[in-house]
Amino acid sequence: MTPRLDRTVALVTGASSGIGRATALELARHGAAVAVVGRREDRLADLATEITGAGGRALVVPADVTDPTAAAEAVDKTVAGLGRLDILVNNAGLMLLGPAPGADLADWRRMVDINLMGLMYCTHAAVPHLVEAAAQEPRRVADIINIGSLAGRRAFAMSAVYCATKFGVGAFSEALRQELAHQHVRVSVVEPGSVDTELRDHNDPAIQQQLAAAFGGIDRLQSQDIADTVGYIVTRPRHVAVGELLVRPTEQI
C-alpha cells in the first residue's frame, strides 16, 4: 500500500529545528516531497540529506519569510523544483517574553513579522497553487497548517504581544478556512502547549529561569508530538477537515 501523501508536495517553514524539522521528516515518511524553508541553510541541508537518505525527496529553500518577496520566491522555487504544492505548514515563529511596560519595540515588531506577517506572506503566495492542487489527483484536496499556540486561546502575563500574534493566527486561519472550504483547501491551526524546543532560548536568562520554574517539573511535549498531529490532519479523507487542535502536556494546567 502506497503512503497517503505519495505524489504530493509539502512546504514547511522554520524547518531548520524543532517542530518544523520534525514535521518535514513526518510528511516525508508519509510519502510527500518536502521543501524545507528557513534561514539556516546548513541545517536545512542536513535535514534534506536525512530525508533523501531515507528514500524521500527534499528541496532546500533558504529564505527569510518576513520578507514578502522572499516568501513568494520560496513558494515559486518549491513549485518549480518539485512540480506542485499540496501542503503548506506555516511553522516559523518567535517567542520573546517579558513585561509590556518598557518593552523593546523592536522585539514586538520581530514577533509580529515572523509569527503573523510571515505566515500571511507564505499563505498569500501559496493559495493559488493549493487551489490548483486540490482540483487534481492524487488527493483532490490541499492543506494549510498554521502552527499557533495555547497562547492563541489563553492570554498570559509577560506574553502580551506573543499572545496577540497567536490569537491573530487563529483568527486568520478561521476566516481563510471559510473562504477556501468550497475549493477543498483545508485550513487548520495546531495549538501546542509547552514544547521542549529552541523557542524559549531566544529569551534572556532571567526569563528562561522563570519558564524552567513554571514547566521544569512536567513532562513537556516533544517536537515529534506536534509533527504527529500535522501528519494526522493532512492524512484525513477529503471530506474531513480538522479546523483546530489543541495539544498540551498531560500535566500542564
Side-chain angles (χ1 to χ4, degrees), residues 97 198 200-214:
L97 305 181
E198 295 179 1
R200 68 185 186 278
D201 296 344
H202 298 103
N203 292 278
D204 65 43
I207 295 293
Q208 291 190 47
Q209 288 177 6
Q210 291 179 38
L211 290 172

Side-chain angles (χ1 to χ4, degrees), residues 106-224:
D107 288 346
W108 288 8
R109 171 57 64 183
R110 288 173 64 200
M111 283 190 284
V112 171
D113 285 347
I114 296 174
N115 298 351
L116 198 52
M117 296 311 301
L119 177 150
M120 290 180 176
Y121 295 148
C122 290
T123 301
H124 182 269
V127 162
H129 301 288
L130 295 168
V131 169
E132 182 179 357
Q136 301 173 357
E137 298 296 336
R139 298 193 308 154
R140 297 191 304 118
V141 69
D143 287 283
I144 299 170
I145 312 292
N146 294 326
I147 305 301
S149 172
L150 173 60
R153 58 164 67 197
R154 283 178 56 192
F156 298 93
M158 308 288 283
S159 309
V161 175
Y162 180 71
C163 290
T165 63
K166 293 303 186 177
F167 269 83
V169 168
F172 178 74
S173 300
E174 172 56 20
L176 188 65
R177 183 196 67 77
Q178 295 175 31
E179 293 185 31
L180 297 177
H182 291 296
Q183 293 167 286
H184 285 93
V185 177
R186 303 181 294 201
V187 182
S188 306
V189 58
V190 176
E191 298 169 320
S194 181
V195 186
D196 188 13
T197 70
E198 295 179 1
L199 194 63
R200 68 185 186 278
D201 296 344
H202 298 103
N203 292 278
D204 65 43
I207 295 293
Q208 291 190 47
Q209 288 177 6
Q210 291 179 38
L211 290 172
F215 299 112
I218 70 171
D219 189 5
R220 302 170 71 197
L221 297 174
Q222 300 300 309
S223 296
Q224 186 59 45

